[in-house]
Amino acid sequence: MTARPEHFRFHTDKQAGDKAPLPFAETEYQARLNGLRAAMDEAGATAVVLTSMQNVAYYSGFLYCAFGRPYAMVVTADSAVTISAGIDAGQPWRRSFCDNITYTDWARDNFWRAVLSVTGPNRVVGYEGDHLTLMQRDKLEDFLSPVTMVDLAPATMRQRMHKSPAEIALIRAGAQVADVGGYAIRDAVREGVREIDVAMAGRDAMEIEIAHRFPDAEYRDTWVWFQSGLNTDGAHNPVTARRLQRGDILSLNTFPMISGYYTALERTMFVGEVDAESLKIWEANVAAHEYGMSLLQPGISCAEVTQAINAFFAERDLLQYRSFGYGHSFGVLSHYYGREAGLELREDIDTVLEPGMVISMEPMLTIPQGQPGAGGYREHDILVITEDGNENITGYPYGPAFNVVA
């Protein structure tokens, strides 16, 4: 049998076509790599193997689809290479600003042989401790024989938390697309319609809008969670075929995905009418939402914001109904990859807000079934921290005046 390659470059001789337009300019990706290499130098790493979807996309522009296969981006002082499976052919090359190596399935662990071809053996290797599995960590040690290993996940997360002007522009566009989905959902709400039908209306409107705004992008992963009645008690409850009834509490959640960048719009709604007890809870949550947005200023810590909103709810005897933290960072993240955990509005996060950060305000109260006003109440806006305050980039209205829908 003819010897088969462990890995190769598919893009030689134009097999993969030309580079495709990426969401950002090459100078943007080069600046990100410069930041990563500075973190490598500080940690003493001579090579880093990035394996998460969020970091591979952030530093290269390529958002992979794993489907059970390993992927990576390998960075050294003078090289940056994505490592992809043969099933993707030339797409990883076209959709990344850097080099690409394809590994084959002819032998087990050709992925790690491809990685080794870039790093070389006996290096100080950086890795992502919050992503690399124990099995893959063992393989890294077996194949690369590192002198030592250093976890660069915290450093990459800190870098991703600070958005460039180009990133903020993309996130702003995403927030506007989320608004488009919100209005489509509002138009679709009526008695007797199913949750799934309303969700599809919102998703379709957003995908059409994304394709209009970004004709050179790849389209994937945009979705809607639209919940009603008891199904509103959890923020991430899946859509069902339940039919809407008059007086139902609703939860509108639109999530456009643009080149790996996630944005969101979340609103409480009611069908036709809202009872007095529900209105009382809803207005309290809206008041907390407005108070929380006013707190998002440079110089305040995530913990301080959280404690202030906790006190606001406690004064109204509602703190026991709080469901989760009050907000999080935006950027390269999704419901199945990525999270900038260092920028979340929780009691245990001491990160201080700085200009260029992008964060949500999204208080949620869940009143258990059987109690007056039962259901989940949630409002969600995205804010850019500026030099002297914040800018709210969400446009869809919140509160009872707009969101009791006949």
Side-chain angles (χ1 to χ4, degrees), residues 107-291:
R108 188 179 298 277
D109 295 325
N110 277 346
F111 166 79
W112 285 108
R113 296 182 181 93
V115 171
L116 177 63
S117 73
V118 182
T119 65
N122 308 122
R123 300 287 192 92
V124 177
V125 176
Y127 70 104
E128 295 178 79
D130 60 356
H131 183 265
L132 199 65
T133 65
L134 293 176
M135 181 185 74
Q136 295 293 6
R137 179 191 167 105
D138 288 346
K139 290 180 182 291
L140 187 158
E141 292 178 327
D142 291 343
F143 280 88
L144 305 191
S145 304
V147 174
T148 190
M149 296 171 60
V150 293
D151 184 7
L152 287 177
T156 60
M157 179 189 67
R158 287 191 296 271
Q159 186 178 355
R160 297 197 315 272
M161 280 165 36
H162 293 83
K163 310 305 179 201
S164 70
E167 285 183 285
I168 291 173
L170 181 59
I171 294 168
R172 187 189 309 276
Q176 293 166 355
V177 172
D179 289 344
V180 168
Y183 287 112
I185 285 174
R186 188 179 189 275
D187 289 343
V189 168
R190 61 185 183 276
E191 291 182 58
V193 73
R194 300 178 302 174
E195 288 182 6
I196 183 63
D197 297 318
V198 179
M200 287 190 293
R203 183 202 62 208
D204 290 350
M206 289 192 292
E207 291 190 331
I208 291 168
E209 183 70 12
I210 293 169
H212 170 71
R213 289 172 177 254
F214 299 93
D216 295 322
E218 296 175 316
Y219 310 117
R220 55 189 277 190
D221 302 330
T222 291
W223 85 104
V224 166
W225 282 323
F226 179 78
Q227 303 132 345
S228 65
L230 178 62
N231 197 29
T232 64
D233 66 350
H236 300 161
N237 294 356
V239 174
T240 74
R242 181 183 183 273
R243 294 187 182 274
L244 308 189
Q245 303 172 24
R246 186 172 183 81
D248 271 346
I249 185 173
L250 309 175
S251 187
L252 176 161
N253 309 268
T254 64
F255 305 108
M257 293 292 297
I258 304 171
S259 300
Y261 276 72
Y262 159 98
T263 48
L265 167 71
E266 300 171 10
R267 292 288 185 258
T268 303
M269 306 172 76
F270 276 78
V271 181
E273 61 185 15
V274 52
D275 64 271
E277 288 297 327
S278 297
L279 182 60
K280 180 180 177 181
I281 302 297
W282 190 3
E283 288 178 336
N285 201 58
V286 166
H289 181 59
E290 292 177 336
Y291 176 53

Side-chain angles (χ1 to χ4, degrees), residues 18 41 81 212 296 332 339 353 376-377:
D18 295 326
D41 289 344
V81 187
H212 170 71
L296 297 180
V332 185
R339 196 162 185 93
L353 300 186
Y377 300 77

